[in-house]
């Protein structure tokens, strides 16, 4: 199982989940989905800000335990060079980041949206997914403080 560092995590004593226990070697690192470092872009994608997610990542980092970041990439939405560089700067400051997954956002859920009576978002239509991932990895991998442990999921 895993602990999500998403915006829904609100507890009075968040340190409790990071206290050492006898089961630590059997528990996966916390996994966080970071849609965008830019709060406006994050709000565009999710309808909510990203301050709680970023605060939770800082909290996890202070504990020193490993963490795993997943970054959904939507062409033309959250893949700007400026935002990717800021993301690299933010994440490279955390010694505990053991993995960063780059996940292309595809249009596989179109039918689900229509079944809910909603218009599906137009994220990665006619996009060369491999090129999108490669370009984003280039920005995330060239941080001056070191290399992030990138995993490109296609």
């Amino acid at each position: 199982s895993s602990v999500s560092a998403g915006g829904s995590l609100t507890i009075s004593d968040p340190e409790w989940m990071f206290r050492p226990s006898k089961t630590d070697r059997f528990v996966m690192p916390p996994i966080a989905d970071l849609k965008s470092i830019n709060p406006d872009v994050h709000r565009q994608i999710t309808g909510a800000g990203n301050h709680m997610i970023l605060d939770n990542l800082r909290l996890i980092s202070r504990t020193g335990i490993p963490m795993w970041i997943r970054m959904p990439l939507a062409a033309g939405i959250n893949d700007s060079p400026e935002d990717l560089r800021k993301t690299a700067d933010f994440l490279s400051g955390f010694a505990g980041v053991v993995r960063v997954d780059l996940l292309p956002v595809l249009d596989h859920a179109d039918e689900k949206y229509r079944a809910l009576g909603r218009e599906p978002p137009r994220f990665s239509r006619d996009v060369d997914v491999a090129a999108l991932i490669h370009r984003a990895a280039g920005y995330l991998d060239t941080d001056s403080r070191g290399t992030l442990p990138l995993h490109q999921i296609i």
Side-chain angles (χ1 to χ4, degrees), residues 71-87:
M71 291 186 57
L73 289 175
I77 296 176
N78 69 342
D79 66 333
S80 76
E82 179 183 356
D83 286 350
L84 292 170
R85 285 185 189 114
K86 286 180 181 178
T87 300

Side-chain angles (χ1 to χ4, degrees), residues 2-146:
S2 65
V3 175
S4 171
S8 62
L9 178 64
T10 52
I11 51 180
S12 59
D13 180 19
E15 298 285 339
W16 71 268
M17 73 177 111
F18 305 116
R19 291 188 186 116
S21 75
K22 294 177 183 177
T23 61
D24 281 354
R25 63 190 175 119
F26 302 109
V27 179
M28 285 183 61
I31 299 173
D33 287 343
L34 182 59
K35 278 79 170 178
S36 178
I37 196 79
N38 181 322
D40 295 329
V41 173
H42 192 275
R43 188 169 287 106
Q44 175 190 354
I45 295 169
T46 67
N50 63 357
H51 70 279
M52 191 173 293
I53 293 168
L54 301 179
D55 288 347
N56 285 334
L57 290 173
R58 289 181 190 102
L59 170 69
I60 294 168
S61 176
R62 284 196 308 267
T63 68
I65 65 171
M67 68 177 129
W68 185 344
I69 309 297
R70 296 184 305 189
M71 291 186 57
L73 289 175
I77 296 176
N78 69 342
D79 66 333
S80 76
E82 179 183 356
D83 286 350
L84 292 170
R85 285 185 189 114
K86 286 180 181 178
T87 300
D89 287 343
F90 179 75
L91 294 178
S92 64
F94 301 151
V97 175
V98 295
R99 181 175 176 141
V100 177
D101 286 346
L102 302 177
L103 309 166
V105 176
L106 304 173
D107 295 317
H108 297 304
D110 283 4
E111 292 306 315
K112 291 180 183 180
Y113 275 94
R114 288 189 186 94
L116 294 170
R118 296 174 60 192
E119 185 63 28
R122 299 291 175 224
F123 287 124
S124 298
R125 299 251 184 234
D126 302 319
V127 169
D128 181 344
V129 173
L132 171 69
I133 296 292
H134 181 73
R135 187 173 51 76
Y139 288 114
L140 291 169
D141 206 26
T142 56
D143 177 66
S144 61
R145 285 180 271 180

